[in-house]
Coordinates of all heavy atoms in Angstrom, one line a residue:
T1 N 0.8 -1.2 0.0 CA 0.0 0.0 0.0 C 0.9 1.2 0.0 O 2.1 1.2 0.3 CB -0.9 0.0 1.2 OG1 -0.1 0.2 2.4 CG2 -1.8 -1.2 1.3
I2 N 0.3 2.4 -0.3 CA 1.0 3.6 -0.3 C 1.5 4.0 1.1 O 2.6 4.4 1.3 CB 0.2 4.7 -1.0 CG1 0.1 4.5 -2.5 CG2 0.8 6.1 -0.7 CD1 -0.8 5.5 -3.2
T3 N 0.6 3.7 2.0 CA 1.0 4.0 3.4 C 2.2 3.2 3.9 O 3.1 3.8 4.5 CB -0.2 3.8 4.4 OG1 -1.3 4.6 3.9 CG2 0.1 4.1 5.8
K4 N 2.2 1.9 3.6 CA 3.3 1.1 3.9 C 4.6 1.5 3.2 O 5.7 1.5 3.8 CB 3.0 -0.4 3.7 CG 2.1 -1.0 4.6 CD 1.8 -2.4 4.3 CE 0.8 -3.0 5.3 NZ 0.5 -4.4 4.9
T5 N 4.5 1.9 2.0 CA 5.6 2.3 1.2 C 6.2 3.6 1.8 O 7.4 3.7 2.0 CB 5.2 2.6 -0.3 OG1 4.7 1.4 -0.8 CG2 6.4 3.1 -1.1
L6 N 5.3 4.6 2.1 CA 5.8 5.8 2.7 C 6.4 5.6 4.1 O 7.3 6.3 4.5 CB 4.7 6.9 2.7 CG 4.4 7.4 1.3 CD1 3.1 8.2 1.4 CD2 5.5 8.3 0.9
K7 N 5.9 4.6 4.8 CA 6.4 4.3 6.1 C 7.9 3.8 6.0 O 8.8 4.3 6.7 CB 5.6 3.3 6.8 CG 6.1 2.8 8.2 CD 5.2 1.8 8.8 CE 5.6 1.3 10.1 NZ 6.8 0.5 10.1
I8 N 8.1 2.9 5.0 CA 9.4 2.4 4.8 C 10.4 3.5 4.3 O 11.5 3.6 4.8 CB 9.4 1.2 3.7 CG1 8.7 0.0 4.4 CG2 10.8 0.8 3.3 CD1 8.3 -1.0 3.4
V9 N 9.9 4.3 3.4 CA 10.7 5.4 2.9 C 11.1 6.3 4.1 O 12.3 6.8 4.2 CB 10.0 6.2 1.8 CG1 10.7 7.5 1.5 CG2 9.9 5.3 0.5
C10 N 10.1 6.6 4.9 CA 10.4 7.5 6.1 C 11.4 6.9 7.0 O 12.3 7.6 7.5 CB 9.1 7.8 6.8 SG 9.2 9.1 8.0
E11 N 11.4 5.6 7.2 CA 12.3 4.9 8.1 C 13.7 4.9 7.4 O 14.7 5.1 8.1 CB 11.9 3.5 8.3 CG 10.7 3.4 9.2 CD 10.0 2.0 9.2 OE1 10.4 1.1 8.4 OE2 9.1 1.8 10.1
V12 N 13.8 4.8 6.1 CA 15.1 4.8 5.4 C 15.7 6.1 5.4 O 16.9 6.3 5.6 CB 14.9 4.2 4.0 CG1 16.2 4.4 3.2 CG2 14.6 2.7 4.0
L13 N 14.9 7.2 5.2 CA 15.4 8.5 5.0 C 15.4 9.3 6.3 O 15.8 10.5 6.3 CB 14.6 9.3 4.0 CG 14.6 8.8 2.6 CD1 13.7 9.6 1.7 CD2 16.0 8.7 2.0
S14 N 15.0 8.7 7.4 CA 14.9 9.4 8.7 C 16.1 10.2 9.1 O 17.2 9.6 8.9 CB 14.5 8.4 9.8 OG 14.4 9.1 11.0
C15 N 15.9 11.4 9.6 CA 17.0 12.2 10.1 C 17.2 11.9 11.6 O 18.0 12.6 12.2 CB 16.8 13.6 9.7 SG 15.2 14.3 10.0
D16 N 16.5 11.0 12.1 CA 16.6 10.7 13.6 C 16.9 9.2 13.8 O 16.0 8.4 13.7 CB 15.3 11.0 14.2 CG 15.4 11.3 15.7 OD1 16.5 11.3 16.2 OD2 14.3 11.5 16.4
H17 N 18.2 8.9 14.0 CA 18.6 7.5 14.1 C 18.8 7.1 15.6 O 19.5 6.1 15.9 CB 19.8 7.2 13.3 CG 19.6 7.5 11.9 ND1 18.9 6.6 11.1 CD2 20.0 8.5 11.1 CE1 18.8 7.1 9.8 NE2 19.5 8.2 9.8
N18 N 18.3 7.9 16.5 CA 18.5 7.6 17.9 C 17.4 6.8 18.6 O 17.2 6.9 19.8 CB 18.7 8.9 18.7 CG 19.9 9.7 18.2 OD1 20.8 9.2 17.6 ND2 19.9 11.0 18.4
G19 N 16.7 6.1 17.8 CA 15.6 5.3 18.4 C 14.3 6.0 18.5 O 13.3 5.4 18.9
G20 N 14.2 7.2 18.1 CA 13.0 8.0 18.1 C 12.1 7.6 16.9 O 12.5 6.8 16.0
L21 N 11.0 8.2 16.8 CA 10.1 8.0 15.6 C 10.8 8.4 14.4 O 11.3 9.5 14.3 CB 8.8 8.7 15.8 CG 7.8 8.2 16.8 CD1 6.6 9.1 17.0 CD2 7.3 6.8 16.5
P22 N 10.7 7.6 13.3 CA 11.3 8.0 12.0 C 10.6 9.3 11.6 O 9.3 9.4 11.6 CB 11.0 6.9 11.1 CG 10.8 5.7 12.0 CD 10.2 6.2 13.2
R23 N 11.3 10.3 11.1 CA 10.7 11.5 10.6 C 11.6 12.0 9.4 O 12.8 11.9 9.4 CB 10.6 12.5 11.7 CG 11.8 12.8 12.4 CD 11.6 13.6 13.7 NE 12.9 14.0 14.3 CZ 13.1 15.1 14.9 NH1 12.1 16.0 15.1 NH2 14.3 15.3 15.4
I24 N 10.9 12.7 8.5 CA 11.5 13.3 7.4 C 10.9 14.7 7.2 O 9.8 15.0 7.7 CB 11.4 12.5 6.1 CG1 9.9 12.3 5.7 CG2 12.1 11.1 6.2 CD1 9.7 11.6 4.4
P25 N 11.6 15.5 6.4 CA 11.0 16.8 6.1 C 9.7 16.7 5.3 O 9.5 15.8 4.5 CB 12.0 17.5 5.2 CG 13.3 16.8 5.5 CD 12.9 15.4 5.8
F26 N 8.7 17.5 5.7 CA 7.4 17.4 5.0 C 7.5 17.6 3.5 O 6.8 16.9 2.7 CB 6.4 18.5 5.6 CG 5.1 18.5 4.9 CD1 4.2 17.4 5.0 CD2 4.8 19.5 4.0 CE1 3.0 17.4 4.3 CE2 3.6 19.5 3.3 CZ 2.7 18.4 3.5
S27 N 8.4 18.4 3.1 CA 8.6 18.6 1.6 C 9.0 17.3 0.9 O 8.5 17.1 -0.2 CB 9.6 19.7 1.3 OG 10.9 19.4 1.9
T28 N 9.8 16.5 1.5 CA 10.2 15.2 1.0 C 9.0 14.3 0.9 O 8.8 13.6 -0.1 CB 11.4 14.6 1.8 OG1 12.5 15.5 1.8 CG2 11.8 13.3 1.2
F29 N 8.3 14.2 2.0 CA 7.1 13.4 2.1 C 6.1 13.8 1.0 O 5.5 13.0 0.3 CB 6.4 13.5 3.5 CG 5.1 12.8 3.6 CD1 5.1 11.5 4.0 CD2 3.9 13.4 3.4 CE1 3.9 10.8 4.1 CE2 2.7 12.8 3.5 CZ 2.7 11.4 3.8
Q30 N 5.9 15.1 0.9 CA 4.9 15.7 -0.1 C 5.3 15.2 -1.5 O 4.5 14.7 -2.3 CB 4.9 17.2 0.0 CG 4.0 17.8 -0.9 CD 4.0 19.4 -0.7 OE1 4.9 19.9 -0.2 NE2 2.9 20.0 -1.2
F31 N 6.6 15.4 -1.9 CA 7.1 15.0 -3.2 C 6.8 13.5 -3.4 O 6.3 13.1 -4.5 CB 8.6 15.3 -3.3 CG 9.2 14.8 -4.6 CD1 8.9 15.4 -5.8 CD2 9.9 13.6 -4.5 CE1 9.5 14.8 -7.0 CE2 10.4 13.0 -5.7 CZ 10.2 13.7 -6.9
L32 N 7.2 12.7 -2.4 CA 7.1 11.2 -2.6 C 5.7 10.8 -2.7 O 5.3 9.9 -3.5 CB 7.8 10.5 -1.4 CG 9.4 10.7 -1.4 CD1 10.0 10.2 -0.1 CD2 10.0 9.9 -2.6
Y33 N 4.8 11.3 -1.8 CA 3.4 11.0 -1.8 C 2.8 11.3 -3.2 O 2.0 10.5 -3.8 CB 2.7 11.6 -0.7 CG 1.2 11.4 -0.6 CD1 0.6 10.1 -0.9 CD2 0.3 12.4 -0.3 CE1 -0.7 9.8 -0.8 CE2 -1.1 12.1 -0.2 CZ -1.6 10.9 -0.5 OH -2.9 10.6 -0.4
M34 N 3.0 12.5 -3.7 CA 2.5 12.9 -5.0 C 3.0 12.0 -6.1 O 2.2 11.5 -6.9 CB 2.8 14.3 -5.3 CG 2.1 15.3 -4.4 SD 2.7 17.0 -4.5 CE 2.6 17.4 -6.2
Y35 N 4.3 11.6 -6.1 CA 4.8 10.8 -7.1 C 4.2 9.4 -7.0 O 3.8 8.8 -8.0 CB 6.4 10.7 -6.9 CG 7.0 9.7 -7.9 CD1 7.2 10.1 -9.2 CD2 7.4 8.5 -7.4 CE1 7.8 9.2 -10.1 CE2 7.9 7.6 -8.3 CZ 8.1 7.9 -9.6 OH 8.7 7.0 -10.5
I36 N 4.2 8.8 -5.8 CA 3.7 7.4 -5.7 C 2.2 7.3 -6.0 O 1.8 6.4 -6.7 CB 4.0 6.9 -4.2 CG1 5.5 6.7 -4.0 CG2 3.3 5.6 -4.0 CD1 5.9 6.5 -2.6
A37 N 1.5 8.3 -5.6 CA 0.0 8.3 -5.9 C -0.2 8.4 -7.4 O -1.1 7.8 -8.0 CB -0.7 9.5 -5.2
E38 N 0.6 9.2 -8.1 CA 0.5 9.4 -9.6 C 0.8 8.1 -10.3 O 0.1 7.6 -11.2 CB 1.4 10.5 -10.1 CG 1.2 10.7 -11.5 CD 2.1 11.9 -12.0 OE1 2.3 12.8 -11.3 OE2 2.6 11.8 -13.2
V39 N 1.9 7.4 -9.8 CA 2.3 6.1 -10.4 C 1.2 5.1 -10.1 O 0.9 4.3 -11.0 CB 3.7 5.7 -9.8 CG1 3.9 4.2 -10.2 CG2 4.8 6.6 -10.3
D40 N 0.6 5.1 -8.9 CA -0.4 4.1 -8.6 C -1.6 4.3 -9.5 O -2.2 3.3 -9.9 CB -0.8 4.3 -7.1 CG -1.9 3.4 -6.7 OD1 -1.6 2.2 -6.4 OD2 -3.1 3.9 -6.6
G41 N -2.0 5.6 -9.7 CA -3.1 5.9 -10.6 C -4.5 5.7 -10.1 O -5.5 6.0 -10.8
E42 N -4.7 5.2 -8.9 CA -6.0 5.0 -8.4 C -6.4 6.0 -7.3 O -7.6 5.9 -6.8 CB -6.1 3.6 -7.7 CG -5.9 2.5 -8.8 CD -6.2 1.1 -8.2 OE1 -6.8 1.0 -7.1 OE2 -5.7 0.1 -8.8
I43 N -5.6 6.9 -7.0 CA -5.9 8.0 -6.0 C -6.0 9.3 -6.8 O -5.1 9.7 -7.5 CB -4.8 8.1 -5.0 CG1 -4.7 6.7 -4.3 CG2 -5.1 9.1 -4.0 CD1 -3.5 6.5 -3.5
S44 N -7.1 10.0 -6.6 CA -7.4 11.2 -7.3 C -6.4 12.3 -6.8 O -6.0 12.3 -5.7 CB -8.8 11.7 -7.2 OG -9.0 12.2 -5.8
A45 N -6.1 13.2 -7.8 CA -5.2 14.3 -7.4 C -5.9 15.2 -6.4 O -5.2 15.8 -5.5 CB -4.9 15.1 -8.7
S46 N -7.2 15.3 -6.4 CA -7.9 16.1 -5.4 C -7.8 15.5 -4.0 O -7.6 16.2 -3.0 CB -9.3 16.3 -5.8 OG -10.0 15.1 -5.8
H47 N -7.8 14.2 -3.9 CA -7.6 13.5 -2.6 C -6.2 13.7 -2.1 O -6.0 14.1 -0.9 CB -7.9 12.0 -2.7 CG -7.7 11.3 -1.4 ND1 -8.6 11.3 -0.4 CD2 -6.7 10.5 -1.0 CE1 -8.2 10.6 0.6 NE2 -7.0 10.1 0.3
V48 N -5.2 13.6 -2.9 CA -3.8 13.8 -2.5 C -3.7 15.2 -2.0 O -3.1 15.5 -1.0 CB -2.9 13.5 -3.7 CG1 -1.5 14.0 -3.4 CG2 -2.9 12.0 -4.1
S49 N -4.2 16.2 -2.8 CA -4.1 17.6 -2.4 C -4.8 17.9 -1.0 O -4.2 18.6 -0.2 CB -4.8 18.4 -3.5 OG -4.7 19.8 -3.1
R50 N -6.0 17.3 -0.8 CA -6.7 17.4 0.5 C -5.9 16.9 1.6 O -5.8 17.5 2.7 CB -8.1 16.8 0.4 CG -9.1 17.6 -0.2 CD -10.5 17.0 0.0 NE -10.7 15.6 -0.2 CZ -10.9 15.0 -1.4 NH1 -11.1 15.8 -2.5 NH2 -11.0 13.7 -1.5
M51 N -5.3 15.7 1.4 CA -4.5 15.1 2.5 C -3.3 15.9 2.8 O -2.9 16.1 4.0 CB -4.1 13.6 2.1 CG -5.3 12.6 2.2 SD -5.9 12.4 3.9 CE -7.3 13.5 3.8
L52 N -2.6 16.3 1.8 CA -1.4 17.1 2.0 C -1.7 18.4 2.7 O -0.9 18.9 3.5 CB -0.6 17.3 0.7 CG 0.1 16.1 0.1 CD1 0.6 16.4 -1.3 CD2 1.2 15.6 1.0
N53 N -2.7 19.1 2.2 CA -3.2 20.3 2.9 C -3.5 20.1 4.3 O -3.1 20.9 5.2 CB -4.3 20.9 2.1 CG -4.6 22.3 2.5 OD1 -3.7 23.1 2.8 ND2 -5.9 22.7 2.6
Y54 N -4.3 19.1 4.6 CA -4.6 18.8 6.0 C -3.3 18.5 6.9 O -3.2 19.1 7.9 CB -5.5 17.6 6.1 CG -5.8 17.2 7.5 CD1 -6.6 17.9 8.4 CD2 -5.1 16.1 8.1 CE1 -6.8 17.5 9.7 CE2 -5.3 15.7 9.4 CZ -6.1 16.4 10.2 OH -6.3 16.1 11.5
I55 N -2.5 17.7 6.4 CA -1.2 17.3 7.1 C -0.4 18.6 7.3 O 0.1 18.8 8.4 CB -0.4 16.3 6.3 CG1 -1.1 14.9 6.3 CG2 1.0 16.1 7.0 CD1 -0.5 13.9 5.4
E56 N -0.3 19.4 6.3 CA 0.6 20.6 6.4 C -0.1 21.6 7.4 O 0.7 22.2 8.2 CB 0.7 21.3 5.1 CG 1.7 22.5 5.1 CD 2.0 23.0 3.7 OE1 1.1 22.9 2.8 OE2 3.1 23.5 3.5
Q57 N -1.4 21.8 7.4 CA -2.0 22.7 8.3 C -2.3 22.3 9.7 O -2.2 23.0 10.6 CB -3.4 23.1 7.6 CG -3.3 23.8 6.3 CD -2.5 25.1 6.3 OE1 -2.6 25.9 7.2 NE2 -1.6 25.2 5.4
E58 N -2.6 21.0 9.9 CA -3.0 20.5 11.2 C -2.1 19.5 11.9 O -2.2 19.3 13.1 CB -4.4 19.7 11.0 CG -5.5 20.6 10.3 CD -5.9 21.7 11.2 OE1 -5.8 21.6 12.5 OE2 -6.3 22.8 10.6
V59 N -1.1 19.0 11.2 CA -0.3 17.9 11.7 C 1.2 18.3 11.9 O 1.8 18.1 13.0 CB -0.3 16.6 10.9 CG1 0.6 15.5 11.4 CG2 -1.8 16.1 10.8
I60 N 1.7 18.9 10.9 CA 3.2 19.3 10.9 C 3.4 20.4 11.9 O 2.8 21.4 12.0 CB 3.6 19.7 9.5 CG1 3.4 18.6 8.5 CG2 5.1 20.1 9.5 CD1 4.1 17.3 8.9
G61 N 4.4 20.2 12.8 CA 4.8 21.2 13.8 C 5.8 22.2 13.2 O 6.1 22.2 12.0
P62 N 6.3 23.1 14.0 CA 7.2 24.1 13.6 C 8.5 23.6 13.0 O 9.2 24.4 12.3 CB 7.4 25.0 14.8 CG 7.0 24.1 16.0 CD 6.0 23.1 15.4
D63 N 8.9 22.4 13.3 CA 10.1 21.9 12.8 C 10.0 21.4 11.3 O 11.0 21.2 10.7 CB 10.6 20.7 13.7 CG 9.7 19.5 13.7 OD1 8.6 19.5 13.0 OD2 10.0 18.6 14.4
G64 N 8.8 21.4 10.8 CA 8.6 21.0 9.4 C 8.8 19.5 9.1 O 8.9 19.1 7.9
L65 N 8.8 18.7 10.1 CA 9.1 17.3 9.9 C 7.8 16.5 10.1 O 6.9 16.9 10.9 CB 10.1 16.8 10.9 CG 11.5 17.4 10.8 CD1 12.4 16.9 12.0 CD2 12.1 17.1 9.5
I66 N 7.7 15.4 9.4 CA 6.5 14.5 9.6 C 7.1 13.2 10.1 O 8.1 12.7 9.6 CB 5.8 14.3 8.2 CG1 4.5 13.4 8.4 CG2 6.7 13.7 7.1 CD1 3.6 13.4 7.3
T67 N 6.4 12.6 11.1 CA 6.8 11.3 11.6 C 5.9 10.2 11.0 O 4.8 10.5 10.5 CB 6.6 11.3 13.2 OG1 5.2 11.3 13.5 CG2 7.4 12.4 13.8
V68 N 6.3 9.0 11.2 CA 5.5 7.9 10.7 C 4.1 7.9 11.3 O 3.1 7.7 10.7 CB 6.2 6.5 10.9 CG1 5.3 5.4 10.7 CG2 7.4 6.4 10.1
N69 N 4.0 8.2 12.6 CA 2.7 8.2 13.3 C 1.8 9.3 12.8 O 0.6 9.1 12.9 CB 2.9 8.4 14.8 CG 3.4 7.1 15.5 OD1 3.5 6.0 14.9 ND2 3.7 7.2 16.8
D70 N 2.4 10.3 12.3 CA 1.5 11.4 11.7 C 0.6 11.0 10.6 O -0.5 11.5 10.4 CB 2.4 12.6 11.2 CG 3.0 13.4 12.4 OD1 2.6 13.3 13.5 OD2 4.1 14.0 12.1
F71 N 1.1 10.0 9.8 CA 0.2 9.5 8.7 C -0.2 8.0 8.9 O -1.0 7.6 8.1 CB 0.9 9.7 7.4 CG 2.2 9.0 7.2 CD1 2.2 7.7 6.6 CD2 3.4 9.6 7.5 CE1 3.4 7.1 6.4 CE2 4.6 8.9 7.3 CZ 4.6 7.7 6.7
T72 N 0.2 7.4 9.9 CA -0.2 6.0 10.1 C -1.2 5.9 11.3 O -2.1 5.0 11.3 CB 0.9 5.0 10.4 OG1 1.6 5.4 11.5 CG2 1.8 4.9 9.2
Q73 N -1.1 6.8 12.3 CA -1.9 6.7 13.5 C -3.0 7.7 13.6 O -3.8 7.7 14.5 CB -1.0 6.8 14.7 CG 0.0 5.7 14.8 CD -0.5 4.3 14.9 OE1 -1.5 4.1 15.6 NE2 0.0 3.4 14.1
N74 N -3.0 8.7 12.7 CA -4.0 9.7 12.7 C -5.2 9.3 11.9 O -5.1 9.1 10.7 CB -3.4 11.0 12.1 CG -4.4 12.2 12.1 OD1 -5.6 12.0 12.1 ND2 -3.8 13.4 12.2
P75 N -6.4 9.1 12.5 CA -7.6 8.6 11.8 C -8.1 9.6 10.7 O -8.8 9.1 9.8 CB -8.6 8.4 12.9 CG -8.2 9.3 14.0 CD -6.7 9.4 13.9
R76 N -7.7 10.8 10.7 CA -8.1 11.8 9.7 C -7.3 11.7 8.5 O -7.6 12.3 7.5 CB -8.2 13.2 10.3 CG -9.2 13.2 11.5 CD -9.6 14.6 11.8 NE -10.3 15.2 10.7 CZ -10.6 16.5 10.6 NH1 -10.2 17.3 11.6 NH2 -11.2 17.0 9.5
V77 N -6.1 11.0 8.5 CA -5.2 10.9 7.4 C -5.4 9.6 6.7 O -5.1 8.6 7.3 CB -3.8 11.1 7.8 CG1 -2.8 10.9 6.6 CG2 -3.6 12.5 8.4
R78 N -5.9 9.6 5.5 CA -6.1 8.4 4.7 C -5.4 8.6 3.4 O -6.0 9.3 2.5 CB -7.6 8.2 4.5 CG -8.3 8.0 5.9 CD -9.4 7.1 6.0 NE -9.5 6.0 5.1 CZ -9.2 4.7 5.4 NH1 -8.9 4.4 6.6 NH2 -9.4 3.8 4.5
L79 N -4.2 8.1 3.2 CA -3.4 8.3 2.1 C -4.0 7.6 0.8 O -3.6 8.0 -0.3 CB -2.0 8.0 2.3 CG -1.3 8.7 3.5 CD1 0.1 8.3 3.6 CD2 -1.4 10.2 3.2
E80 N -4.7 6.6 1.1 CA -5.2 5.7 -0.1 C -6.7 5.9 -0.4 O -7.4 6.4 0.4 CB -4.9 4.3 0.2 CG -3.4 4.2 0.4 CD -2.9 2.8 0.9 OE1 -3.3 1.8 0.3 OE2 -2.2 2.8 1.9

């Protein structure tokens, strides 16, 4: 699934290797989510846009990083 793929990518690219939650810059997540959703072809561009807008406005903190839990444990975030 896209969620599992993004979770793995986040773990691989994480800037936090001290045992904390894997996290990456939101801009990286945004690029990857848009790319993977386009390749998948089953998720509308409007859905992707709504999810990214919600995450950026309501989830991402001042550090600009997204953690795995931000998109796997938040019931309002449905990437697929």
Side-chain angles (χ1 to χ4, degrees):
T1 66
I2 288 176
T3 301
K4 287 181 183 177
T5 300
L6 286 167
K7 179 181 181 286
I8 292 167
V9 168
C10 192
E11 290 168 350
V12 170
L13 298 178
S14 179
C15 44
D16 202 7
H17 299 287
N18 298 337
L21 288 174
R23 57 193 183 144
I24 60 173
F26 176 71
S27 58
T28 302
F29 175 85
Q30 181 177 20
F31 172 79
L32 292 168
Y33 179 40
M34 290 171 54
Y35 175 79
I36 294 168
E38 184 178 327
V39 169
D40 180 78
E42 293 186 21
I43 302 165
S44 72
S46 63
H47 178 78
V48 171
S49 180
R50 279 192 312 274
M51 286 298 97
L52 288 172
N53 191 35
Y54 173 77
I55 292 169
E56 186 172 32
Q57 299 299 315
E58 304 295 331
V59 177
I60 300 302
D63 61 2
L65 299 174
I66 185 168
T67 69
V68 169
N69 283 355
D70 290 337
F71 62 91
T72 61
Q73 301 298 316
N74 186 330
R76 298 197 64 191
V77 176
R78 303 218 20 110
L79 301 180
E80 302 173 50

